[in-house]
Amino acid sequence: MGSRGTIAYGETRRARLAGPLLAVAVLVVGVAVTLRTVGALHEDQRAAAARVMDQRTAVARAAVTAETGRYRDLMQAVAAGLGTNTHLTARDFAAATAPLDTAGLVGATSVAFLVATPTGDIEETERFWRSRGADGLTLQPRGTPDVHLFSIFQRTLNDSAPADSGLDVAAAPEGAAALLEARRTGRPTVSDAYVLLRDRTVPLVRRQLSFIFVAPVFAAPDADDELPRFQGWVAMGLRGQDFLGGVLGTASQGLLDGELYAIDGGGRRLKVASYDAPGRRDLVRQATFPVADRQWTLLTGADSHRLPGARNGTPATVLLGGTLLTIMLAILVWVLATGRSRARAQVLVATAELRSAEAESRRQAGLLGAIMASLGDGVGVVDENGAFLLHNPAAKALLGVPFDATSPGEWQEHYGIYRPDGRTPFPLAEMPLVRGLRGEVSDGVEMMIRNEQRPDGILLSVDGRPLDPSAGQHGAVAVFHDITALRRYENDLAVFAGVVAHDLKAPLAVIRGHCETAADELADAPESRETAEVGAALRRIMSAVDRMAALIDTLLAYTTSRDAPLKLRAVPLGPLVAEVVAQRTEHLRPGAGPPPDVYVGPLPEVRADPAMLRHVLDNLIGNALKYVPRGRAARIDVTAGPADEGWTRVEVADRGIGIPAEDKPAIFESFHRARTAEGYAGTGLGLAICRRIVERHGGTIGVADNPGGGTRFHFTLPVATAAPAGDEEALDRALAERAEAEAVAQPAVAGTARPPAIRPPCVEAPPAGPGTPAAAGPLAGPPVIRPAVAAATPRRTPGAGPAGTA
Ligand code: ADP
């Protein structure tokens, strides 16, 4: 058991650890897979973002390239247009550049026609171009270059502020270089970045780096062999910041940052413009492309989160979902794993408890079996159908036959169960086990067992009970023990007591007879002092003899009241009471004192042992006659009243001396006498005998004060009903001797010798009380026996006062 317990504990511990470990493993794997998936998604997204960025950058670069190419081409086209005019006027310029107004030239400030003029020719040049329509032209030479580069005609674009005509571009080396380069190469060109002359007056913060796109204007040669004649340039100013913002904003839809760098003639990289888009720049691309004869570099940047199609919430969703799923899975695994281990632990504990309970119940069963086997008394248990569940060896030994009767109906015949008379079959309904099945308790039920194995019969005393509900089974249990030897012994004892009583009383009778004879003879002798003394001595002897005889009777009655078998029969109470009263009062001499007043009410027929019941009545009525104040007449009421169903309550009330409260609890004990009984003869056994007899009849006895004075005894007895068949003649064969002995003893009890005047006669009767329904007034002479209301009560006419002893 111990090693099993250890193993079980080890298993339980391992099982308890397995659950959390499994859950942690699931958690780790789940989180790892989720992170990996999220990482892969991120990687994909980064690649997608790079792709999108590349596309966007390409678009932006293409847009910038296309726009610059277009500007250059437009310049070339305008230059070509102007070149066709041999006589170029302001009007021609306006016509040639008119389409530029609607060409959507982002960042363009103006387009101008420029000419080169040596310093000495300035005035002439001015006059010349005024004549060609440049009204108000004032050439504004700057510095002293070899040649001045004046703008002659111009068209303002994109609502820019019109610039002064006649500006000298030679003042801006970058512009001048571009013009000269274009003339030298005969092709359009673009300048290095610089602040346009027209912008040099605007505040610094708004000043931008710009370019000019330049195309040389060649007039067609006059003669076939001549080279094209250089006339001047068309140049368009382009503000870098406006250009980049416009082009990039449109091309990238505001998602790309941009920085435009131009490499100037000296090979330096110069930041021309920058454009900021919202967001954090985490993707950067760079593209270098030719613009005319220059290299421009476009640096683009973007926030990958803002690029459409590059980033979405999938990784975050996957991370959240995966984590949640993992946690749920881990919890599920933990619950399942630990639930299993918990259940397993519970099963192990329950199994261990079951085993110990089983061992305990086996031990208990063994113990019970041993107790049952060693019990001297027989024990039998039946189920609700009367089938024997259990019986012990003593039960079988007592009954002599095996317990194989299948139903209670067979018990009587099978086991040979009879009433104590040994002849009357025991009624099934009265059997203690059957009563137990009905839920009744029965104690000391006597039955005779006589069968093949027990031809002489044994007398059993059986106690029956319903089975305790804790047995979990409806049924009844009976315990029976053999009282055959006990009863035989009691019989022997009763016979012995009867014989002893008889043998003791015989010499007493002889002594009394001789005393009476001597007294009679003394009465005839002449009176003298001696004769008087002898007479007194004789009376004392006779009194002592009477007391001794009475004591013997009482002791015999005390014995028989306990041991003698009850011979139950229907007894009419009224005649029995009348007989007792008559006997108790027949020796009273008329005129000796106030006669007792006895009322006997209607009394029922009871079921009792008549001889024993007579003892009870004799004791109670005798006491009521005896315990009266001196000189008073006894007043007694014997009545019957209702009690529990099937029972009657008999009362014997008197107007005597009463019993002090402190004595009442003890007066039914043997030899107890109240202190008020001093001066009244008695043994203290009478009431003890009464209680024994009443209780053996199943009744109760008690005492109370009689309201108005005196005492009120009461006892209960079963009312005589239709007696069970065979009960009347139920005679206990085994106890026949005892019955005989009692028959011998009975006359001695009933016919107690009456002493001559023991008490002085009463002179006055006490007043009537509530307990005496028909109290009579003080009477001298015969005792009054009032007629009962219903029952015929004998009227007696005894002579003297109450009887002396009980
Ligand atoms: P006893 O032989 O003394 O009368 P009992 O057993 O008959 O013995 O009575 C016990 C005691 O109860 C008596 O001694 C007496 O004190 C008291 N007693 C019994 N009956 C009466 C009664 N009717 N009135 C007053 N006292 C009584």
Side-chain angles (χ1 to χ4, degrees), residues 84 89 178 255 258-259 321 336 341 384 388-389 402 414 420 436 448 564 586 603 611 627 633 695 725 729 734 790 805:
T84 56
T89 61
L255 291 173
E259 287 170 13
L336 285 179
S341 73
E384 66 267 35
F388 273 93
L389 294 171
H414 181 74
M448 173 73 78
E586 68 189 356
L603 297 174
Y627 293 110
E695 286 181 355
E729 83 261 17
T805 58

Side-chain angles (χ1 to χ4, degrees), residues 487-714:
R487 273 296 135 86
R488 194 166 292 135
Y489 170 75
E490 285 172 2
N491 286 342
D492 291 348
L493 202 64
V495 169
F496 173 73
V499 169
V500 168
H502 183 264
D503 289 356
L504 279 178
K505 286 178 71 177
L508 286 181
V510 172
I511 294 170
R512 199 175 203 287
H514 284 301
C515 283
E516 280 175 0
T517 310
D520 287 347
E521 284 173 7
L522 203 63
D524 297 338
E527 279 190 25
S528 68
R529 204 168 135 257
E530 286 80 22
T531 55
E533 281 174 3
V534 171
L538 283 174
R539 279 195 298 280
R540 279 200 296 277
I541 291 169
M542 283 191 290
S543 169
V545 165
D546 286 343
R547 278 205 304 279
M548 191 163 171
L551 185 62
I552 289 169
D553 287 341
T554 305
L555 285 173
L556 190 64
Y558 185 66
T559 313
T560 53
S561 68
R562 186 187 61 186
D563 302 324
L566 290 181
K567 294 173 190 159
L568 298 178
R569 66 195 60 185
V571 184
L573 259 182
L576 187 60
V577 170
E579 195 182 318
V580 169
V581 171
Q583 269 195 358
R584 278 287 180 178
T585 55
E586 68 189 356
H587 301 297
L588 302 180
R589 289 191 302 274
D597 174 6
V598 182
Y599 168 77
V600 181
L603 297 174
E605 200 174 50
V606 295
R607 182 166 180 75
D609 182 312
M612 291 201 186
L613 181 57
R614 189 188 166 87
H615 276 304
V616 176
L617 293 168
D618 189 58
N619 271 320
L620 295 180
I621 293 170
N623 280 350
L625 288 168
K626 177 169 64 171
Y627 293 110
V628 288
R630 299 188 198 291
R632 295 249 188 105
R635 288 185 52 191
I636 307 169
D637 280 16
V638 183
T639 54
D644 292 343
E645 198 187 334
W647 291 76
T648 184
R649 177 181 158 111
V650 182
E651 284 196 354
V652 178
D654 64 46
R655 288 280 173 214
I657 60 172
I659 301 174
E662 65 271 20
D663 286 308
K664 282 207 190 76
I667 54 161
F668 291 99
E669 301 299 329
S670 307
F671 304 110
H672 183 89
R673 308 200 72 218
R675 56 184 164 71
T676 48
E678 275 174 30
Y680 297 88
T683 59
L685 281 174
L687 289 180
I689 293 169
C690 289
R691 183 169 73 171
R692 271 188 187 175
I693 292 173
V694 170
E695 286 181 355
R696 285 193 65 194
H697 281 77
T700 54
I701 187 168
V703 66
D705 287 335
N706 193 9
T711 315
R712 185 179 279 258
F713 282 93
H714 58 85

Side-chain angles (χ1 to χ4, degrees), residues 438-479:
R438 290 202 302 262
E440 296 171 15
V441 172
S442 43
D443 284 327
V445 177
E446 294 183 6
M447 46 175 61
M448 173 73 78
I449 299 296
R450 209 178 59 239
N451 52 41
E452 279 178 14
Q453 306 301 319
R454 297 267 184 210
D456 296 335
I458 60 166
L459 191 66
L460 296 183
S461 169
V462 185
D463 301 339
R465 296 271 184 290
L467 205 53
D468 192 279
S470 63
Q473 153 115 40
H474 187 63
V477 58
V479 177

Side-chain angles (χ1 to χ4, degrees), residues 2-13 344 348:
S3 72
R4 282 200 66 81
T6 314
I7 291 167
Y9 174 72
E11 285 175 7
T12 311
R13 196 157 165 270
R344 196 178 149 78
L348 286 172

